[in-house]
Amino acid sequence: MEKWLEELQSLLPEGRVLTSLADRHSYSFDASFGEHLPDAVVQVKEKLEVADVLKLANRYKVPVHPRGSGTCLSGGPLPVHGGIVLDMSQFPAVIDLSPRDLTVKVTPSVLTGNINKAAEKHGLMYAPDPSSAHVATIGGNLAENSGGPRGLKYGVTKDHVLGLEVVTPEGEMIKTGGQTIKNVTGIDLTKLIVGSEGTLGVIVGATLKLMPKPPAVQTIMVAFDEVRKAGEAISQTLTSGILPAKMEFMDQACIVAVENFQPVGLPVDAAAVIIIELDGHPETLRVERGLIEEIMEEMGAKEIIIPKSDEEAAKLWHARKQVSPAIAKIKPTKVSEDATVPRSKIPDFMDRLELIKEKYGLEVVAFGHAGDGNLHPNILCDKRNVEEMKLVEKAVEDMFQAALDLGGTLSGEHGIGTMKAPFMELELGEIGLDMMKRIKDSWDPNGILNPGKVFPEKGQKLVLHHD
Amino acid sequence: MTSSLKERLNYDKTFDCVQCGYCLPACPTYETMEKETHSPRGRINLVKMVAEGKASVEDLKEPIEKCLGCMACTTVCPTNVQYGEIFEGAKRVIDEERPRRLVEDFLFQSFFPSSKWMSTLGNATWLYQKSGLQKVSQRFGLTKRAPLQIHEFEAALPSMPTPKKRRRERVDRYVRKRPAVAKIGFFKGCVMDSVFFETNQNTVELLLRSGAEVVFPEAQTCCGALHAHTGKVDQSVELAKRNIEAFEEEGFDYIVNNAGGCGARLVEYAHLFDEGTEWYERAERFVDRVRDISEVLVGLDGLAFEKELSRTVTYQPSCHLRNVQKVTSEPLDLIKRIPGVELRELERPEFCCGSAGVYNIVNYEDAMDILDVKMQDVCGTGAGGVVTSNPGCQLQMKLGVEREGLQMEAVHLVDLLMEADPRPKW
């Protein structure tokens, strides 16, 4: 056995350093693409253990890849350079609410959905709502800066963090930010670490911002017979003085996939639907609902559906959640992107997607948080088909280029990870990327924390096929 | 073996898993064993790795053997992964690579399928309890020295009627004078008809009072669940054929059983055969008529409960009834109909009790960890009794009650219904 591994085992209680092949394979993947076998999986349950592991890793120059529940869609926790997977999911889960401060302190292993559940008991809410909130850990959400449908009105994870407890790549404990709503003391390290995808530190605690839970919600579904009309209707709504909490888009392929999978009565003959959620006081909702109905009619909506009960509304939202799994039924491999464009450019982006789809003859579907310009184009393919996968690589590249041409960005909420790293320079420019890299190098001089993510390696290209 | 390892492991089916992880919060072993290796997603990935030659069957063994097979993951899986088939394929491959054991072969080839043996088991249980042997061996701690913690389970066994009583009370055909509202073929189950004989009798009684006619087809045999769970797929197929045949003899409206585990096997008979074959068609016709007793009692709606039982109960659904047969509301509905019974539902009824066929005997420690989680939930309800819908769950809940040092009863739904003195409505 290698010396570092022996020492690692003596550092931690028995049974918390996993080295069997079965265990290593079980932490070799996430919900994205690719599989990388680590040398060991370490399950930490205390802050000091995290520090100890990182100190050891620095001494032996062993890579450490932090991981929550492994629901990442961009490859954040993949041990691309072997070494250690640092499993944070078994850390004791603590939710410490301060309703009078409208804040909550959490440990990294807490499931994001549970924070909102705890907050709701006090009439509060934790706004970020990624689809995987019932499985994903807040540690992973912070590292990846996760979003969710409510991002349209409330922003993404970074907009709700007041302070962090972090173990630095060299194994030192620091605190960033604090517990106050206003805090401008020094450079904002909190925002630097949130979304750094585990490259600048391991988050071991966080203080999050809560907000009052809106007293009521109203769901509206609108069907269109042209995709472009749907895109224009979104822009029109958002410039009319109304800010819905969610505005979700599904194209026809997604509608059909959901109906084939778990029928809920979506209009399968529509080219696209938008599902809107308004939140606020019931009086306001009544007025806003009327306004939206007017806008949609003006924009040539095919059908406007107002659910008659909470259960009916829940069904529609459930259908939206089912899109991602349902489209996986079309073909076994799903290459999911989250390129984001300025909201006004949504119709143009949709046109570009259509062109890419035709150019490569691939199965491309689109759904997502169209209200904030964060569309999820998905390519459905079969990773066992090498030729097809090579086409997919090219199509993905074209998609990123399209988003950037329209003034957008590579990732709205999933993070860069491994797959988008080769395109970083396209968006940031050489110097921009280098400034980012300099921060990384000064925080992590030995480059042991989550190497292979965010920053492209020399000559790295997007590779989805195995020859 | 003619088919390849990839085929036998259902390799193609593993691609339905998109590794989203939505199954993790539903998996009892992921919760108690705290490792992705013991999660549905981890297990499916390992099956894939073994099929691709990146890991060995030996690597797969522990993670698969520690799976309860409760199928809670399949109820939350967004891509409808056929976990049951992947799991059984893996069990089969593991079983094929294992050196044969005589006792096990006897158990699965002769013991479970044989009603004679099962009846002997019932007699032996009765003799053991009535002869004082139970007291003697308990006193001297004999059962404690037995392997596999048998002592824990034998304390939970129900009191057995005498062999004579069992012979006297059982006929194979309960015909009605009035026209019957339904003709029922009763699937008696091995353990149910020996160790839980009274529960079977009560089931028949409830059906009769609901206005149905009940027949015990003579040629029926073990459902094959235990065989399938331990990888003996071929034997499981044989047993399925015999049951399909046995229940074809008469035109039954329903094929009724009262053990969640057996029922789950029966409803999956069609999966054992290739689509388009004659056996597949026959299996489908069989499956279409399979019902849990609770479904039929709710459907017939022929009972009025006369006696008020003053007690609070909670309901622990059998995983196989809930997750495989998808029967969820009927048992609750029946409990609510009993006058004087207050139902306090569990917070996490979907969480397995750890019984899982022979899991609690083979993986005792792990099963107890899971039972501890369950008992916390049970105690939290403040109920005075637990109602179950499967013999294994009932024994496990009794064990749980005992381990917690509680005064609480664990009863089969059917027995509770009978206690409330149901009368025909008509």
Side-chain angles (χ1 to χ4, degrees), chain B residues 138-158:
Chain B
Q138 276 169 357
R139 189 161 156 216
F140 290 100
L142 286 180
T143 52
K144 286 195 181 159
R145 274 181 238 152
L148 305 171
Q149 284 77 22
I150 295 291
H151 68 284
E152 304 249 5
F153 295 100
E154 59 98 14
L157 285 176

Side-chain angles (χ1 to χ4, degrees), chain B residues 174-176 178-184 204-214 254 296 300 426:
Chain B
Y174 300 83
V175 195
R176 305 182 43 77
R178 300 167 181 240
V181 294
K183 186 171 180 184
I184 284 166
V204 172
E205 196 53 43
L206 288 169
L207 288 168
L208 294 173
R209 291 188 197 182
S210 298
E213 177 175 317
V214 183
Y254 304 116
V296 174
L300 296 178
W426 30 277

Side-chain angles (χ1 to χ4, degrees), chain B residues 319-393:
Chain B
C319 296
H320 286 143
L321 184 62
R322 180 184 183 275
N323 304 334
V324 183
Q325 299 184 69
K326 317 267 187 233
V327 176
T328 49
S329 61
E330 288 84 350
L332 295 169
D333 184 6
L334 288 169
I335 294 170
K336 286 180 196 157
R337 290 185 196 188
I338 305 174
V341 168
E342 187 198 331
L343 175 68
R344 294 189 188 164
E345 290 193 50
L346 293 173
E347 278 218 354
R348 298 169 69 193
E350 70 286 349
F351 191 92
C352 179
C353 68
S355 160
V358 291
Y359 189 92
N360 51 0
I361 299 175
V362 183
N363 301 299
Y364 177 78
E365 299 286 340
D366 302 313
M368 292 307 118
D369 288 344
I370 288 160
L371 179 58
D372 289 345
V373 178
K374 174 57 61 184
M375 290 314 293
Q376 224 182 341
D377 194 357
V378 170
C379 294
T381 65
V386 194
V387 182
T388 68
S389 41
N390 182 57
C393 308

Side-chain angles (χ1 to χ4, degrees), chain A residues 18 21-23 25-27 29-31 35 43 45 67 69-71 90 131-132 134-135 261 325 328-329 384, chain B residues 12 15-16 18-22 24-25 30 34-37 41-42 45-46 49 54-55 59 63 78-80:
Chain A
L18 318 176
L21 189 63
D23 286 334
H25 269 303
S26 301
Y27 292 83
F29 60 84
D30 64 2
E35 117 210 357
Q43 299 188 297
K45 294 193 175 182
R67 184 185 197 265
S69 289
T71 56
Q90 301 306 320
S131 292
S132 56
H134 62 300
V135 189
F261 181 56
K329 287 273 158 201
R384 289 162 288 191
Chain B
D12 280 344
F15 283 86
D16 291 341
V18 293
Q19 305 191 317
C20 65
Y22 285 21
L24 299 179
Y30 176 67
E34 303 183 340
K35 270 204 250 178
E36 183 87 45
T37 323
R41 175 171 75 169
N45 182 61
L46 275 176
M49 293 300 108
K54 292 175 186 159
D59 294 317
T79 59
N80 199 16

Side-chain angles (χ1 to χ4, degrees), chain B residues 89-374:
Chain B
K91 283 242 164 183
R92 176 185 193 161
V93 168
I94 291 166
D95 185 64
E96 280 162 3
E97 297 227 336
R98 190 165 44 191
R100 292 258 69 82
R101 279 177 296 197
L102 277 177
V103 179
E104 198 184 297
D105 279 353
F106 164 74
L107 269 179
F108 286 107
Q109 284 167 18
S110 310
F111 191 74
F112 278 111
S114 155
S115 54
K116 205 171 127 201
W117 268 113
M118 271 296 139
S119 172
T120 310
L121 172 67
N123 292 350
T125 311
W126 170 79
L127 187 70
Y128 180 66
Q129 287 173 346
K130 299 298 163 205
S131 65
L133 202 62
Q134 186 175 30
K135 285 205 182 78
V136 174
S137 47
Q138 276 169 357
R139 189 161 156 216
F140 290 100
L142 286 180
T143 52
K144 286 195 181 159
R145 274 181 238 152
L148 305 171
Q149 284 77 22
I150 295 291
H151 68 284
E152 304 249 5
F153 295 100
E154 59 98 14
L157 285 176
S159 181
M160 284 296 298
T162 65
K164 202 167 135 200
K165 184 165 181 253
R166 287 166 59 209
R167 269 199 311 278
R168 193 179 62 226
E169 286 187 1
R170 169 60 53 76
V171 291
D172 286 337
R173 185 168 292 273
Y174 300 83
V175 195
R176 305 182 43 77
K177 284 183 195 132
R178 300 167 181 240
V181 294
K183 186 171 180 184
I184 284 166
F186 187 65
F187 183 85
K188 57 187 184 180
C190 316
V191 179
M192 282 311 299
D193 212 44
S194 51
V195 184
F196 291 85
F197 180 81
E198 294 283 2
T199 304
N200 264 4
Q201 291 302 90
N202 282 341
T203 306
V204 172
E205 196 53 43
L206 288 169
L207 288 168
L208 294 173
R209 291 188 197 182
S210 298
E213 177 175 317
V214 183
V215 180
F216 283 65
E218 210 179 320
Q220 64 176 295
T221 181
C222 172
C223 66
L226 293 179
H227 301 76
H229 298 164
T230 46
K232 293 161 181 59
V233 179
D234 296 340
Q235 287 173 44
S236 181
V237 171
E238 266 324 297
L239 295 171
K241 284 184 177 175
R242 277 163 61 191
N243 280 324
I244 292 167
E245 249 167 6
F247 283 87
E248 274 170 349
E249 281 170 22
E250 294 185 49
F252 296 120
D253 297 312
Y254 304 116
I255 298 167
V256 174
N257 75 92
N258 59 12
C262 300
R265 192 68 212 161
L266 300 181
V267 299
E268 299 221 303
Y269 272 3
H271 297 320
L272 295 171
F273 307 99
D274 290 328
E275 239 169 279
T277 60
E278 187 211 331
W279 273 111
Y280 181 83
E281 310 271 308
R282 288 170 77 177
E284 279 222 305
R285 280 197 295 276
F286 178 91
V287 171
D288 279 347
R289 290 173 296 148
V290 171
R291 299 284 186 284
D292 180 68
I293 177 68
S294 61
E295 291 177 277
V296 174
L297 293 180
V298 169
L300 296 178
D301 192 22
L303 300 172
F305 297 95
E306 300 276 299
K307 189 171 153 195
E308 197 169 312
L309 307 176
S310 110
R311 67 180 86 162
T312 57
V313 297
T314 188
Y315 172 60
Q316 161 57 26
S318 141
C319 296
H320 286 143
L321 184 62
R322 180 184 183 275
N323 304 334
V324 183
Q325 299 184 69
K326 317 267 187 233
V327 176
T328 49
S329 61
E330 288 84 350
L332 295 169
D333 184 6
L334 288 169
I335 294 170
K336 286 180 196 157
R337 290 185 196 188
I338 305 174
V341 168
E342 187 198 331
L343 175 68
R344 294 189 188 164
E345 290 193 50
L346 293 173
E347 278 218 354
R348 298 169 69 193
E350 70 286 349
F351 191 92
C352 179
C353 68
S355 160
V358 291
Y359 189 92
N360 51 0
I361 299 175
V362 183
N363 301 299
Y364 177 78
E365 299 286 340
D366 302 313
M368 292 307 118
D369 288 344
I370 288 160
L371 179 58
D372 289 345
V373 178
K374 174 57 61 184

Side-chain angles (χ1 to χ4, degrees), chain A residues 97-114:
Chain A
L97 274 161
S98 304
R100 288 177 49 171
D101 294 329
L102 282 88
T103 62
V104 60
K105 270 190 187 174
V106 292
T107 52
S109 58
V110 167
L111 303 185
T112 303
N114 289 347

